[in-house]
Amino acid sequence: GRYRRGDLIHRLLQLLPDIAGPEREAAALRLLSRERDLTDMQRREMAAAALGVLGDPQFAAVFGPGSRAEVAVAGHAPGAGPVSGRVDRLLVEPDRVLVIDFKTNRPAPARIEDADPAYIRQMAVYAAVLKTIFPDRKVETALVWTDGPRLMTVPEKLTAQALARLAASVDS
């Protein structure tokens, strides 16, 4: 199903950045070959989705040196209380922190405003926690849609609105 497809693509996006570019396709297909119930066409489609993201220049920093996969994040987010989660990809640079979440929905929305509000709320909470951990850096959030592939920055205005709605719901 669609959730399994998403899990498998997430796994590829977690593991393949550490493999040299020319070797990634073979590695992806090897990893997916362990999934005995998938057809060759399904394996190729999933590998192509992950490789499309990894090969797109707009994602270079997300998967480049210094970025990390599956990073545990814990802390307190104003309006959300204690938070414990795992971000799909994290890049910490001297002047900014970039947190990325992968989404495998098909079709991907055309605009970030059309994304599921739960995704925006999730990114808002992660950003709030990371701002407490890295108070001297700008925290940016983005969603990577494997359908496309497409990188969508989540504007700070949207994350602020999501946190305000979350705080209002907790208070009521």
Side-chain angles (χ1 to χ4, degrees), residues 2 4 10-11 20 22 25 30 32 45 63 70 77-78 90-91 94 99 110 125 129 140 154 161:
R2 100 178 180 183
R4 181 156 180 248
H10 277 185
R11 189 177 325 152
E25 182 176 9
R30 263 194 320 277
L32 292 171
E45 184 277 327
F63 296 103
E70 299 296 323
L90 184 70
L91 174 63
V99 59
V125 169
V129 170
E140 299 173 357
V154 182
Q161 290 170 347

Side-chain angles (χ1 to χ4, degrees):
R2 100 178 180 183
Y3 294 112
R4 181 156 180 248
R5 176 185 179 273
D7 288 343
L8 292 171
I9 292 173
H10 277 185
R11 189 177 325 152
L12 292 175
L13 291 172
Q14 176 185 353
L15 299 173
L16 293 177
D18 294 331
I19 297 171
E23 300 169 21
R24 286 181 180 163
E25 182 176 9
L29 293 173
R30 263 194 320 277
L31 287 166
L32 292 171
S33 72
R34 297 176 187 156
E35 306 298 325
R36 300 284 183 200
D37 60 321
L38 296 178
T39 67
D40 285 340
M41 182 184 293
Q42 289 171 316
R43 288 184 192 103
R44 283 192 304 275
E45 184 277 327
M46 290 179 201
L51 294 168
V53 171
L54 294 174
D56 191 314
Q58 72 173 326
F59 304 122
V62 174
F63 296 103
S67 68
R68 296 184 5 199
E70 299 296 323
V71 178
V73 174
H76 185 275
V83 173
S84 177
R86 187 168 298 277
V87 300
D88 289 334
R89 203 85 192 169
L90 184 70
L91 174 63
V92 178
E93 297 178 319
D95 59 340
R96 76 171 178 151
V97 174
L98 177 60
V99 59
I100 300 289
D101 198 61
F102 306 134
K103 300 298 179 192
T104 55
N105 304 47
R106 292 187 294 181
R111 304 171 324 128
I112 191 65
E113 293 81 7
D114 298 328
D116 185 329
Y119 297 161
I120 306 302
R121 190 169 43 251
Q122 173 190 19
M123 301 310 286
V125 169
Y126 287 153
V129 170
L130 289 165
K131 284 178 185 174
T132 65
I133 297 170
F134 299 99
D136 58 334
R137 300 176 202 189
K138 180 177 178 144
V139 176
E140 299 173 357
T141 61
L143 298 174
V144 171
W145 303 94
T146 59
D147 181 37
R150 189 173 319 156
L151 174 73
M152 284 187 182
T153 301
V154 182
E156 196 171 329
K157 177 182 173 184
L158 286 182
T159 59
Q161 290 170 347
L163 279 180
R165 282 191 298 275
L166 187 60
S169 70
V170 170
D171 290 340
S172 47

